[in-house]
Amino acid sequence: MILQALTAHYEQLLKRGDISAPGWDHAFNVSFYLVVDDAGRLLRAEDVCTFVQKGKKQVSAPLKLSVPSHVKRSSGIAPNFLCDNATYLLGADEKGKPERAVQCFEACAALHHKLLDDVDSPAAAAILAFFDTWQPGQAPAHPALAERWKDITGNANLLFLYEAADGARTLTTEDPAIRAAWQAHYSSADSNAPAVPCLVTGQSASPALVHPSIKGVRGAQSSGAALVSFNAPAFCSYGHTQGANAPVSEYAAFAYTTALNALLADQNHCRVIGDTTVVCWAENASPAAASLGIFAMFGAPEDAGLQEGDLTRALELLAAGKPCTWLGETLRHEQHFYVLGLSPNAARISVRFFMRDTLGEFARHLREHAENLKIVRPALDKRETLSIWALAQETVNRSERTPTPAPQLPGDLLRAILTGGQYPATLLDGVTLRIRAEQNVTRGRAAILKAYYLRNPSPLSAHKEVLTVELNENATYLPYVLGRLFSVLEAIQEAANPGINTTIRERYFNSACGTPAMVFPTLINLAQKHLNKLPYGQEVYYQQQLTDLLGRIHESYPLHLSLPDQGAFQLGYYHQMQKRYAKKSEEE
């Protein structure tokens, strides 16, 4: 299903002219042009890198060009056509293996002679003359290379450019005769291999034994990793080797890898969250639908020129089965949308999740999640919504040098949100541990508690009256009332001792939340002493609150509270605290 969807996406991009045809690598990094003349002499090495803004500074970035497909190297010598590194095109040796460098150059020369010997083109003749006259041993001292030798022989790709005597310049990848020669060579590859039904297209074709590499997955090998591979006998069966165990045609292998690499290189289709690289795309390769999905899942960047209200309205229309206009394009709820989560695994890529549904269904699940998270927020918190990363960050210790959540948590959370499934238990565990460690119920943690118990079955799910956005003053559920009571007791202490460094929250919150019977009698007794210190008006005000809350307790304090009941306690505390702060703001 994944490979079919990516192949279909490739074909849509190819139809629009946004991606390379089979046999060509789209947006390949090229750092230098090797400029040669009619006699094959190297005139100069032109740096074609450009400076781009990355954060607060400018960095050098290679030029993105369409070049002949590169082979997948693991070991041995395997040259590429027209574009390769300095070892193959120049015979440069920077690894202390001069003999191997010469062998790489000779293999590259043989490949170019094989493809270009019968090509009637000045550019092809210039390339062949270069290979016939170039001396690898003299490369470091060549005047066209000496000044930038380290850059050229570093992690740089070089591409031939032909300059005629009259100064006319031709990029060899754009020469029609050379392109035709490469296409014929690419199409005839493995023509003698037996044809089998392709698992992606269903058509009979020679299977790709080695699939092209996938680049751009965070944490995977920078040179690329495999989504489909068989590199040990244990993975093979029925006498097949490598990719023949899961026959995918050369065309389909090229198509799905090219499409996926293009998605991974585009920030409008890709985001990284935790250890998961998330890629999304829409049916018909709609860029507007992809951007809507990315912004809905991860938030819109500040420079996008969009308001959160714009995103909310679009999702509401799609969730209701109505079309919406987004970035000048009309999106319909029945349009299909794809979300793929990838994680690194040595030389391979693991599929964490793959989801396919309509835009309307994804929008409905996102709106449900947003509704579950709604909770009264502090006046200083200007965030309308909480992103997936913001929720995951509520489970970490912010005082750590690099506070990061559990690697799998963000991906698991995203999958739950988009499918409407249960939130991962690790989310609740992480929030509960942070509340116990810090004795602090933040807006994000309270929102997670509310959302978790609304969606995940638990004893607390039957008490929806406490899983509200704001304080429910009529709720009589005992753990919720105790949480409210603790907040009032804390307020009385702070009023009686302004500027106090350590309140009952730091000393007693965990005990009050877990074993109320052990703590509340002491706290009530302490509160009476604090009330005696207050002016008459304040004393009456707080005494009324105490009387009201204590009047709702018709049983003895529980010896222990279960985890869901602790969640109700924490929500009651948070709601009462925000009510108290809101009243202070009104008075001010």
Side-chain angles (χ1 to χ4, degrees):
M1 187 65 183
I2 299 174
L3 303 190
Q4 285 93 333
L6 287 169
T7 301
H9 182 67
Y10 168 81
E11 291 172 347
Q12 289 293 332
L13 293 175
L14 184 63
K15 188 182 299 183
R16 294 199 326 221
D18 293 340
I19 204 165
S20 296
W24 297 83
D25 284 343
H26 182 68
F28 194 81
N29 291 334
V30 176
S31 300
F32 290 90
Y33 286 158
L34 294 180
V35 184
V36 295
D37 63 7
D38 291 292
R41 290 176 300 215
L42 179 62
L43 302 179
R44 56 191 169 275
E46 290 185 6
D47 187 347
V48 294
C49 294
T50 57
F51 285 96
V52 297
Q53 197 71 27
K54 190 173 183 180
K56 296 182 179 180
K57 60 181 180 179
Q58 286 191 331
V59 296
S60 178
L63 189 63
K64 302 287 187 180
L65 293 174
S66 179
V67 302
S69 294
H70 275 46
V71 296
K72 188 172 183 180
R73 294 174 180 143
S74 55
S75 60
I77 295 174
N80 291 308
F81 185 58
L82 299 181
C83 179
D84 212 321
N85 58 41
T87 302
Y88 281 89
L89 294 187
L90 300 173
D93 171 46
E94 288 297 302
K95 299 181 180 179
K97 299 179 180 179
E99 293 182 358
R100 187 181 187 280
V102 171
Q103 292 172 358
C104 291
F105 175 78
E106 292 174 349
C108 193
L111 172 65
H112 283 77
H113 272 287
K114 177 182 177 181
L115 270 65
L116 301 179
D117 273 343
D118 298 326
V119 174
D120 184 13
S121 165
I127 293 173
L128 295 179
F130 169 82
F131 280 109
D132 291 338
T133 58
W134 182 256
Q135 299 296 324
Q138 299 176 5
H142 195 284
L145 305 173
E147 291 186 4
R148 302 293 301 275
W149 182 251
K150 288 188 176 180
D151 295 329
I152 292 171
T153 57
N155 187 26
N157 291 309
L158 319 177
L159 174 64
F160 284 113
L161 184 145
Y162 164 64
E163 184 172 289
D166 60 359
R169 293 157 59 92
T170 302
L171 197 60
T172 52
T173 53
E174 297 175 358
D175 184 282
I178 294 178
R179 290 179 66 91
W182 166 251
Q183 205 65 51
H185 169 76
Y186 179 83
S187 300
S188 64
D190 295 332
S191 57
N192 297 325
V196 296
C198 173
L199 295 179
V200 176
T201 65
Q203 300 176 355
S204 293
S206 301
L209 297 182
V210 179
H211 293 206
S213 296
I214 305 298
K215 299 179 181 180
V217 176
R218 177 74 64 85
Q221 292 182 356
S222 58
S223 59
L227 188 61
V228 178
S229 70
F230 302 84
N231 64 348
F235 307 142
C236 301
S237 58
Y238 296 101
H240 296 306
T241 59
Q242 296 181 305
N245 288 275
V248 174
S249 65
E250 291 282 356
Y251 165 76
F254 172 84
Y256 89 78
T257 54
T258 303
L260 184 52
N261 281 325
L263 292 169
L264 288 166
D266 187 354
Q267 284 298 307
N268 292 323
H269 292 81
C270 176
R271 289 288 191 277
V272 177
I273 182 166
D275 71 339
T276 305
T277 300
V278 181
V279 178
C280 71
W281 68 96
E283 191 177 27
N284 300 327
S286 166
S291 72
L292 176 63
I294 282 287
F295 293 166
M297 289 185 287
F298 303 102
E302 295 181 358
D303 58 355
L306 298 170
Q307 303 293 330
E308 287 196 18
D310 300 332
L311 184 61
T312 301
R313 283 190 295 273
L315 292 176
E316 287 176 348
L317 288 171
L318 291 171
K322 300 177 182 179
C324 75
T325 301
W326 183 260
L327 299 183
E329 184 178 339
T330 300
L331 304 181
R332 301 188 178 279
H333 71 282
E334 68 270 16
Q335 188 174 0
H336 282 96
F337 194 76
Y338 304 86
V339 182
L340 175 63
L342 303 173
S343 293
N345 181 17
R348 290 186 179 83
I349 297 173
S350 298
V351 176
R352 288 287 307 280
F353 52 80
F354 177 64
M355 291 169 280
R356 173 187 179 272
D357 214 327
T358 63
L359 279 175
E361 280 300 298
F362 278 129
R364 184 173 65 83
H365 292 315
L366 287 165
R367 294 304 303 151
E368 289 175 352
H369 169 69
E371 288 296 321
N372 288 342
L373 281 180
K374 277 187 177 178
I375 200 163
V376 60
R377 68 177 192 263
L380 296 178
D381 192 341
K382 303 301 181 184
R383 297 172 296 174
E384 290 289 337
T385 59
L386 295 170
S387 67
I388 295 173
W389 187 249
L391 296 177
Q393 285 292 96
E394 294 291 347
T395 66
V396 304
N397 183 1
R398 298 295 181 89
S399 62
E400 292 180 354
R401 179 174 297 179
T402 54
T404 54
Q408 292 190 357
L409 173 58
D412 292 343
L413 178 57
L414 176 61
R415 179 167 47 187
I417 293 169
L418 294 180
T419 60
Q422 296 183 17
Y423 293 116
T426 49
L427 180 65
L428 178 66
D429 293 342
V431 165
T432 302
L433 288 173
R434 292 323 312 159
I435 292 176
R436 289 175 180 170
E438 300 173 12
Q439 299 84 47
N440 184 23
V441 185
T442 63
R443 175 220 175 169
R445 292 167 186 169
I448 289 171
L449 291 172
K450 172 178 172 285
Y452 186 91
Y453 288 115
L454 276 174
R455 179 172 294 189
N456 294 41
S458 74
L460 188 56
S461 302
H463 300 276
K464 298 291 179 64
E465 70 275 10
V466 307
L467 303 175
T468 54
V469 176
E470 297 181 324
L471 176 66
N472 183 358
E473 296 183 347
N474 297 320
T476 58
Y477 189 54
L478 182 57
Y480 185 79
V481 173
L482 291 176
R484 292 183 59 194
L485 177 60
F486 190 89
S487 177
V488 171
L489 295 174
E490 182 184 18
I492 293 172
Q493 183 190 36
E494 291 178 348
N497 304 279
I500 186 172
N501 292 327
T502 304
T503 67
I504 60 172
R505 178 165 61 87
E506 283 81 12
R507 290 181 178 273
Y508 297 105
F509 184 86
N510 289 341
S511 299
C513 185
T515 55
M518 302 291 293
V519 177
F520 270 97
T522 301
L523 296 179
I524 296 296
N525 182 47
L526 186 62
Q528 295 303 321
K529 297 177 181 178
H530 290 150
L531 286 170
N532 293 333
K533 298 180 182 180
L534 297 176
Y536 177 74
Q538 276 189 303
E539 180 183 0
V540 171
Y541 170 74
Y542 284 117
Q543 188 64 61
Q544 288 176 343
Q545 292 190 51
L546 276 180
T547 301
D548 174 64
L549 291 173
L550 290 172
R552 297 173 183 272
I553 301 176
H554 304 296
E555 54 188 289
S556 58
Y557 295 115
L559 292 176
H560 298 280
L561 290 183
S562 64
L563 188 60
D565 284 343
Q566 290 181 35
F569 180 99
Q570 291 155 358
L571 281 172
Y573 173 82
Y574 177 82
H575 280 153
Q576 187 69 40
M577 181 175 63
Q578 295 308 315
K579 182 73 172 179
R580 172 160 44 109
Y581 289 157
K583 187 170 184 62
K584 283 184 178 180
S585 299
E586 292 172 4
E587 292 173 351
E588 292 173 359

